[in-house]
Amino acid sequence: MKKMNISDAELELLKELWVESPLTSRQLVDRLRTRTQWGEPTIKTLLLRLLRKKAVRRQSQGKSFLYSAAIERDEYQYTVGRSMIDRLFDGLAGNFLTCLVRNEAFRPEEIEELRRLLDEKAAEQSTPPAGEKSAE
């Protein structure tokens, strides 16, 4: 996925579509208005911007349109996170993780998940690719 410039406001709209899709513009307005205090014109403008950026797709259903996210949440998170790592940590994800671990509080289940993922990554990287023998 190429980097998309999605504003914080546009991201709020996308988050709604990641939770449930497709939605009508009326449903989006109702959901966002209560949480953001934005008016209908603002929400529809954000929706149009996301359509132009191809971050949202629209399909016709009778007299209305149904909207859904055209980009996956985890794909967007990875792209934005990778860009931040490249800019702030010279592209070194390990330095980013070290910074987080030193400065963040984690729930026990998050620590266990991180341990599990790191153990999997270590095992994956220590196993030679198929067809290659390990150095003995």
Side-chain angles (χ1 to χ4, degrees):
M1 173 183 154
K2 70 177 183 122
K3 187 173 183 288
M4 280 189 189
N5 290 323
I6 306 260
S7 71
D8 289 346
E10 292 164 343
L11 185 57
E12 288 304 311
L13 196 146
L14 263 177
K15 285 178 182 179
E16 288 297 328
L17 292 173
W18 284 328
V19 170
E20 184 180 351
S21 278
L23 293 172
T24 64
S25 62
R26 168 63 29 218
Q27 290 170 314
L28 281 165
V29 167
D30 290 345
R31 290 169 187 220
L32 286 165
R33 189 183 286 170
T34 59
R35 207 177 76 235
T36 63
Q37 305 302 312
W38 296 332
E40 185 172 344
T42 300
I43 294 166
K44 288 190 173 183
T45 297
L46 293 170
L47 191 53
L48 288 173
R49 282 191 207 157
L50 287 168
L51 278 166
R52 273 189 247 119
K53 293 176 181 183
K54 297 184 178 6
V56 166
R57 58 180 157 257
R58 166 175 79 182
Q59 72 182 62
S60 180
Q61 185 185 51
K63 292 183 177 183
S64 61
F65 290 104
L66 292 174
Y67 296 90
S68 56
I71 54 177
E72 297 294 323
R73 181 182 205 133
D74 59 345
E75 182 181 10
Y76 179 74
Q77 288 172 328
Y78 176 77
T79 301
V80 171
R82 181 76 250 171
S83 175
M84 185 216 31
I85 290 167
D86 290 343
R87 284 189 342 267
L88 298 176
F89 296 92
D90 298 323
L92 301 171
N95 289 351
F96 170 68
L97 287 174
T98 300
C99 179
L100 275 181
V101 168
R102 285 189 176 141
N103 295 290
E104 283 293 315
F106 292 96
R107 295 186 316 266
E109 59 271 17
E110 290 175 313
I111 292 169
E112 285 307 310
E113 178 66 5
L114 287 169
R115 264 196 194 110
R116 185 186 65 73
L117 288 169
L118 289 170
D119 288 345
E120 281 179 15
K121 185 58 87 172
E124 179 183 299
Q125 291 181 348
S126 67
T127 304
E132 286 185 26
K133 291 184 179 179
S134 62
E136 295 179 9

